[in-house]
mmCIF file of all heavy atoms in Angstrom:
data_model
loop_
_atom_site.group_PDB
_atom_site.id
_atom_site.type_symbol
_atom_site.label_atom_id
_atom_site.label_comp_id
_atom_site.label_asym_id
_atom_site.label_seq_id
_atom_site.Cartn_x
_atom_site.Cartn_y
_atom_site.Cartn_z
ATOM 1 N N ALA X 1 191.686 137.220 139.687
ATOM 2 C CA ALA X 1 190.508 137.238 140.550
ATOM 3 C C ALA X 1 189.348 136.608 139.792
ATOM 4 O O ALA X 1 189.280 136.685 138.564
ATOM 5 C CB ALA X 1 190.159 138.664 140.926
ATOM 6 N N PRO X 2 188.452 135.977 140.520
ATOM 7 C CA PRO X 2 187.277 135.434 139.833
ATOM 8 C C PRO X 2 186.451 136.578 139.246
ATOM 9 O O PRO X 2 186.429 137.684 139.785
ATOM 10 C CB PRO X 2 186.501 134.706 140.939
ATOM 11 C CG PRO X 2 187.009 135.298 142.205
ATOM 12 C CD PRO X 2 188.404 135.769 141.944
ATOM 13 N N PRO X 3 185.792 136.320 138.131
ATOM 14 C CA PRO X 3 184.978 137.391 137.530
ATOM 15 C C PRO X 3 183.849 137.809 138.471
ATOM 16 O O PRO X 3 183.255 136.984 139.159
ATOM 17 C CB PRO X 3 184.431 136.767 136.253
ATOM 18 C CG PRO X 3 184.579 135.302 136.434
ATOM 19 C CD PRO X 3 185.713 135.084 137.391
ATOM 20 N N SER X 4 183.613 139.097 138.524
ATOM 21 C CA SER X 4 182.542 139.598 139.392
ATOM 22 C C SER X 4 181.194 139.427 138.712
ATOM 23 O O SER X 4 181.111 139.180 137.507
ATOM 24 C CB SER X 4 182.767 141.067 139.725
ATOM 25 O OG SER X 4 182.756 141.825 138.546
ATOM 26 N N GLU X 5 180.137 139.573 139.507
ATOM 27 C CA GLU X 5 178.787 139.466 138.953
ATOM 28 C C GLU X 5 178.533 140.605 137.977
ATOM 29 O O GLU X 5 179.042 141.709 138.171
ATOM 30 C CB GLU X 5 177.753 139.552 140.069
ATOM 31 C CG GLU X 5 177.688 138.349 140.947
ATOM 32 C CD GLU X 5 176.516 138.431 141.928
ATOM 33 O OE1 GLU X 5 175.627 139.275 141.753
ATOM 34 O OE2 GLU X 5 176.513 137.643 142.875
ATOM 35 N N PRO X 6 177.743 140.339 136.966
ATOM 36 C CA PRO X 6 177.381 141.455 136.073
ATOM 37 C C PRO X 6 176.652 142.551 136.830
ATOM 38 O O PRO X 6 175.932 142.279 137.801
ATOM 39 C CB PRO X 6 176.446 140.806 135.060
ATOM 40 C CG PRO X 6 176.719 139.345 135.141
ATOM 41 C CD PRO X 6 177.188 139.084 136.536
ATOM 42 N N ARG X 7 176.831 143.775 136.428
ATOM 43 C CA ARG X 7 176.272 144.929 137.120
ATOM 44 C C ARG X 7 174.742 144.871 137.187
ATOM 45 O O ARG X 7 174.151 145.279 138.167
ATOM 46 C CB ARG X 7 176.724 146.201 136.426
ATOM 47 C CG ARG X 7 176.302 147.444 137.120
ATOM 48 C CD ARG X 7 177.016 148.641 136.489
ATOM 49 N NE ARG X 7 176.535 149.874 137.027
ATOM 50 C CZ ARG X 7 176.957 150.436 138.141
ATOM 51 N NH1 ARG X 7 177.886 149.842 138.845
ATOM 52 N NH2 ARG X 7 176.470 151.570 138.557
ATOM 53 N N GLU X 8 174.087 144.331 136.175
ATOM 54 C CA GLU X 8 172.624 144.300 136.145
ATOM 55 C C GLU X 8 172.069 143.481 137.297
ATOM 56 O O GLU X 8 171.078 143.840 137.898
ATOM 57 C CB GLU X 8 172.113 143.714 134.816
ATOM 58 C CG GLU X 8 172.424 144.555 133.604
ATOM 59 C CD GLU X 8 173.839 144.358 133.090
ATOM 60 O OE1 GLU X 8 174.459 143.299 133.387
ATOM 61 O OE2 GLU X 8 174.360 145.256 132.404
ATOM 62 N N ARG X 9 172.682 142.401 137.637
ATOM 63 C CA ARG X 9 172.198 141.561 138.728
ATOM 64 C C ARG X 9 172.281 142.269 140.067
ATOM 65 O O ARG X 9 171.410 142.150 140.884
ATOM 66 C CB ARG X 9 172.981 140.261 138.791
ATOM 67 C CG ARG X 9 172.655 139.315 137.673
ATOM 68 C CD ARG X 9 173.347 138.015 137.865
ATOM 69 N NE ARG X 9 173.112 137.141 136.738
ATOM 70 C CZ ARG X 9 173.664 135.964 136.600
ATOM 71 N NH1 ARG X 9 174.511 135.507 137.509
ATOM 72 N NH2 ARG X 9 173.407 135.233 135.566
ATOM 73 N N VAL X 10 173.345 142.998 140.264
ATOM 74 C CA VAL X 10 173.522 143.726 141.523
ATOM 75 C C VAL X 10 172.442 144.784 141.666
ATOM 76 O O VAL X 10 171.835 144.939 142.717
ATOM 77 C CB VAL X 10 174.928 144.367 141.585
ATOM 78 C CG1 VAL X 10 175.056 145.242 142.811
ATOM 79 C CG2 VAL X 10 175.995 143.280 141.574
ATOM 80 N N ILE X 11 172.148 145.501 140.598
ATOM 81 C CA ILE X 11 171.123 146.551 140.635
ATOM 82 C C ILE X 11 169.752 145.952 140.903
ATOM 83 O O ILE X 11 168.995 146.473 141.717
ATOM 84 C CB ILE X 11 171.142 147.361 139.318
ATOM 85 C CG1 ILE X 11 172.443 148.171 139.225
ATOM 86 C CG2 ILE X 11 169.929 148.277 139.235
ATOM 87 C CD1 ILE X 11 172.657 148.829 137.899
ATOM 88 N N VAL X 12 169.435 144.850 140.276
ATOM 89 C CA VAL X 12 168.133 144.210 140.473
ATOM 90 C C VAL X 12 167.989 143.756 141.916
ATOM 91 O O VAL X 12 166.936 143.934 142.526
ATOM 92 C CB VAL X 12 167.956 143.028 139.501
ATOM 93 C CG1 VAL X 12 166.741 142.190 139.871
ATOM 94 C CG2 VAL X 12 167.839 143.515 138.077
ATOM 95 N N LYS X 13 169.018 143.201 142.510
ATOM 96 C CA LYS X 13 168.956 142.759 143.904
ATOM 97 C C LYS X 13 168.712 143.949 144.827
ATOM 98 O O LYS X 13 167.941 143.854 145.772
ATOM 99 C CB LYS X 13 170.240 142.041 144.297
ATOM 100 C CG LYS X 13 170.380 140.659 143.708
ATOM 101 C CD LYS X 13 171.679 140.020 144.135
ATOM 102 C CE LYS X 13 171.880 138.672 143.486
ATOM 103 N NZ LYS X 13 173.173 138.077 143.862
ATOM 104 N N GLN X 14 169.365 145.076 144.559
ATOM 105 C CA GLN X 14 169.187 146.253 145.398
ATOM 106 C C GLN X 14 167.771 146.794 145.266
ATOM 107 O O GLN X 14 167.160 147.186 146.257
ATOM 108 C CB GLN X 14 170.198 147.333 145.031
ATOM 109 C CG GLN X 14 171.607 146.992 145.435
ATOM 110 C CD GLN X 14 172.628 147.981 144.924
ATOM 111 O OE1 GLN X 14 172.317 148.824 144.102
ATOM 112 N NE2 GLN X 14 173.830 147.864 145.421
ATOM 113 N N VAL X 15 167.217 146.816 144.061
ATOM 114 C CA VAL X 15 165.863 147.295 143.865
ATOM 115 C C VAL X 15 164.867 146.375 144.538
ATOM 116 O O VAL X 15 163.918 146.823 145.171
ATOM 117 C CB VAL X 15 165.548 147.431 142.349
ATOM 118 C CG1 VAL X 15 164.081 147.697 142.111
ATOM 119 C CG2 VAL X 15 166.397 148.544 141.740
ATOM 120 N N ALA X 16 165.068 145.082 144.440
ATOM 121 C CA ALA X 16 164.168 144.132 145.071
ATOM 122 C C ALA X 16 164.176 144.294 146.585
ATOM 123 O O ALA X 16 163.128 144.280 147.229
ATOM 124 C CB ALA X 16 164.551 142.705 144.694
ATOM 125 N N LYS X 17 165.339 144.488 147.166
ATOM 126 C CA LYS X 17 165.415 144.690 148.614
ATOM 127 C C LYS X 17 164.715 145.977 149.017
ATOM 128 O O LYS X 17 164.015 146.034 150.006
ATOM 129 C CB LYS X 17 166.870 144.720 149.069
ATOM 130 C CG LYS X 17 167.535 143.387 149.054
ATOM 131 C CD LYS X 17 168.975 143.493 149.520
ATOM 132 C CE LYS X 17 169.664 142.160 149.431
ATOM 133 N NZ LYS X 17 171.076 142.273 149.820
ATOM 134 N N SER X 18 164.883 147.018 148.241
ATOM 135 C CA SER X 18 164.225 148.287 148.532
ATOM 136 C C SER X 18 162.720 148.159 148.387
ATOM 137 O O SER X 18 161.959 148.725 149.168
ATOM 138 C CB SER X 18 164.729 149.376 147.600
ATOM 139 O OG SER X 18 166.101 149.581 147.763
ATOM 140 N N GLY X 19 162.265 147.420 147.414
ATOM 141 C CA GLY X 19 160.838 147.231 147.194
ATOM 142 C C GLY X 19 160.173 146.506 148.342
ATOM 143 O O GLY X 19 159.080 146.851 148.768
ATOM 144 N N VAL X 20 160.822 145.513 148.869
ATOM 145 C CA VAL X 20 160.263 144.776 149.994
ATOM 146 C C VAL X 20 160.169 145.683 151.216
ATOM 147 O O VAL X 20 159.180 145.714 151.913
ATOM 148 C CB VAL X 20 161.112 143.513 150.297
ATOM 149 C CG1 VAL X 20 160.682 142.881 151.608
ATOM 150 C CG2 VAL X 20 160.970 142.524 149.172
ATOM 151 N N GLY X 21 161.184 146.453 151.478
ATOM 152 C CA GLY X 21 161.183 147.363 152.622
ATOM 153 C C GLY X 21 160.139 148.436 152.480
ATOM 154 O O GLY X 21 159.428 148.780 153.432
ATOM 155 N N MET X 22 160.000 148.975 151.292
ATOM 156 C CA MET X 22 159.031 150.030 151.036
ATOM 157 C C MET X 22 157.607 149.478 151.165
ATOM 158 O O MET X 22 156.741 150.146 151.735
ATOM 159 C CB MET X 22 159.254 150.602 149.632
ATOM 160 C CG MET X 22 158.310 151.676 149.254
ATOM 161 S SD MET X 22 158.567 153.127 150.275
ATOM 162 C CE MET X 22 157.489 154.258 149.477
ATOM 163 N N GLY X 23 157.355 148.291 150.679
ATOM 164 C CA GLY X 23 156.034 147.679 150.798
ATOM 165 C C GLY X 23 155.642 147.436 152.236
ATOM 166 O O GLY X 23 154.515 147.690 152.643
ATOM 167 N N SER X 24 156.589 146.957 153.021
ATOM 168 C CA SER X 24 156.309 146.712 154.435
ATOM 169 C C SER X 24 156.056 148.009 155.186
ATOM 170 O O SER X 24 155.126 148.103 155.991
ATOM 171 C CB SER X 24 157.483 145.972 155.088
ATOM 172 O OG SER X 24 157.603 144.693 154.537
ATOM 173 N N ALA X 25 156.874 149.016 154.906
ATOM 174 C CA ALA X 25 156.692 150.314 155.573
ATOM 175 C C ALA X 25 155.348 150.938 155.219
ATOM 176 O O ALA X 25 154.646 151.470 156.084
ATOM 177 C CB ALA X 25 157.835 151.248 155.201
ATOM 178 N N LEU X 26 154.984 150.857 153.965
ATOM 179 C CA LEU X 26 153.692 151.413 153.520
ATOM 180 C C LEU X 26 152.535 150.646 154.143
ATOM 181 O O LEU X 26 151.550 151.252 154.606
ATOM 182 C CB LEU X 26 153.615 151.371 152.003
ATOM 183 C CG LEU X 26 152.440 152.070 151.351
ATOM 184 C CD1 LEU X 26 152.396 153.542 151.753
ATOM 185 C CD2 LEU X 26 152.546 151.956 149.842
ATOM 186 N N ALA X 27 152.639 149.322 154.196
ATOM 187 C CA ALA X 27 151.587 148.515 154.809
ATOM 188 C C ALA X 27 151.435 148.843 156.291
ATOM 189 O O ALA X 27 150.311 148.948 156.797
ATOM 190 C CB ALA X 27 151.910 147.028 154.623
ATOM 191 N N ILE X 28 152.543 149.032 156.983
ATOM 192 C CA ILE X 28 152.485 149.369 158.408
ATOM 193 C C ILE X 28 151.831 150.734 158.612
ATOM 194 O O ILE X 28 150.989 150.907 159.487
ATOM 195 C CB ILE X 28 153.896 149.324 159.028
ATOM 196 C CG1 ILE X 28 154.373 147.873 159.096
ATOM 197 C CG2 ILE X 28 153.920 149.967 160.400
ATOM 198 C CD1 ILE X 28 155.837 147.710 159.443
ATOM 199 N N ALA X 29 152.198 151.691 157.772
ATOM 200 C CA ALA X 29 151.627 153.037 157.896
ATOM 201 C C ALA X 29 150.117 153.033 157.625
ATOM 202 O O ALA X 29 149.337 153.643 158.370
ATOM 203 C CB ALA X 29 152.325 153.991 156.939
ATOM 204 N N ILE X 30 149.699 152.323 156.605
ATOM 205 C CA ILE X 30 148.269 152.236 156.275
ATOM 206 C C ILE X 30 147.526 151.525 157.405
ATOM 207 O O ILE X 30 146.467 151.972 157.857
ATOM 208 C CB ILE X 30 148.044 151.498 154.939
ATOM 209 C CG1 ILE X 30 148.567 152.345 153.776
ATOM 210 C CG2 ILE X 30 146.572 151.169 154.738
ATOM 211 C CD1 ILE X 30 148.593 151.606 152.448
ATOM 212 N N SER X 31 148.092 150.403 157.855
ATOM 213 C CA SER X 31 147.452 149.634 158.909
ATOM 214 C C SER X 31 147.305 150.453 160.187
ATOM 215 O O SER X 31 146.257 150.422 160.832
ATOM 216 C CB SER X 31 148.251 148.370 159.199
ATOM 217 O OG SER X 31 147.655 147.629 160.223
ATOM 218 N N TRP X 32 148.329 151.202 160.538
ATOM 219 C CA TRP X 32 148.275 152.025 161.758
ATOM 220 C C TRP X 32 147.206 153.111 161.621
ATOM 221 O O TRP X 32 146.453 153.362 162.541
ATOM 222 C CB TRP X 32 149.619 152.637 162.076
ATOM 223 C CG TRP X 32 149.556 153.488 163.293
ATOM 224 C CD1 TRP X 32 149.515 154.841 163.336
ATOM 225 C CD2 TRP X 32 149.450 153.044 164.651
ATOM 226 N NE1 TRP X 32 149.423 155.273 164.637
ATOM 227 C CE2 TRP X 32 149.378 154.187 165.467
ATOM 228 C CE3 TRP X 32 149.435 151.799 165.248
ATOM 229 C CZ2 TRP X 32 149.286 154.113 166.848
ATOM 230 C CZ3 TRP X 32 149.338 151.737 166.618
ATOM 231 C CH2 TRP X 32 149.255 152.870 167.403
ATOM 232 N N SER X 33 147.135 153.743 160.445
ATOM 233 C CA SER X 33 146.150 154.811 160.266
ATOM 234 C C SER X 33 144.717 154.281 160.272
ATOM 235 O O SER X 33 143.812 154.986 160.703
ATOM 236 C CB SER X 33 146.422 155.573 158.965
ATOM 237 O OG SER X 33 146.150 154.764 157.849
ATOM 238 N N VAL X 34 144.519 153.053 159.852
ATOM 239 C CA VAL X 34 143.174 152.474 159.812
ATOM 240 C C VAL X 34 142.803 151.840 161.147
ATOM 241 O O VAL X 34 141.715 152.070 161.672
ATOM 242 C CB VAL X 34 143.078 151.420 158.687
ATOM 243 C CG1 VAL X 34 141.762 150.656 158.752
ATOM 244 C CG2 VAL X 34 143.231 152.080 157.334
ATOM 245 N N ASN X 35 143.707 151.055 161.736
ATOM 246 C CA ASN X 35 143.365 150.233 162.909
ATOM 247 C C ASN X 35 143.876 150.764 164.241
ATOM 248 O O ASN X 35 143.367 150.369 165.282
ATOM 249 C CB ASN X 35 143.920 148.811 162.711
ATOM 250 C CG ASN X 35 143.356 148.150 161.492
ATOM 251 O OD1 ASN X 35 142.166 148.197 161.232
ATOM 252 N ND2 ASN X 35 144.224 147.531 160.708
ATOM 253 N N LYS X 36 144.918 151.561 164.244
ATOM 254 C CA LYS X 36 145.557 152.052 165.481
ATOM 255 C C LYS X 36 145.959 150.893 166.399
ATOM 256 O O LYS X 36 145.773 150.948 167.598
ATOM 257 C CB LYS X 36 144.631 153.012 166.250
ATOM 258 C CG LYS X 36 144.205 154.218 165.458
ATOM 259 C CD LYS X 36 145.349 155.197 165.286
ATOM 260 C CE LYS X 36 144.862 156.532 164.770
ATOM 261 N NZ LYS X 36 145.062 156.752 163.371
#
């Protein structure tokens, strides 16, 4: 089988995806509370 990706890269990709989602959710919550 072809060698798999190193574990560190997979973890970084998952954290980056979570960070983007969390930032958007937080921005939406703040925006709604301020502007309705």
Side-chain angles (χ1 to χ4, degrees):
S4 61
E5 288 187 14
R7 185 170 174 84
E8 295 81 22
R9 288 186 184 176
V10 174
I11 292 171
V12 169
K13 287 180 184 178
Q14 289 173 349
V15 170
K17 287 180 183 177
S18 299
V20 170
M22 179 67 173
S24 294
L26 188 57
I28 290 169
I30 291 171
S31 179
W32 179 257
S33 68
V34 172
N35 300 315
K36 302 288 193 259

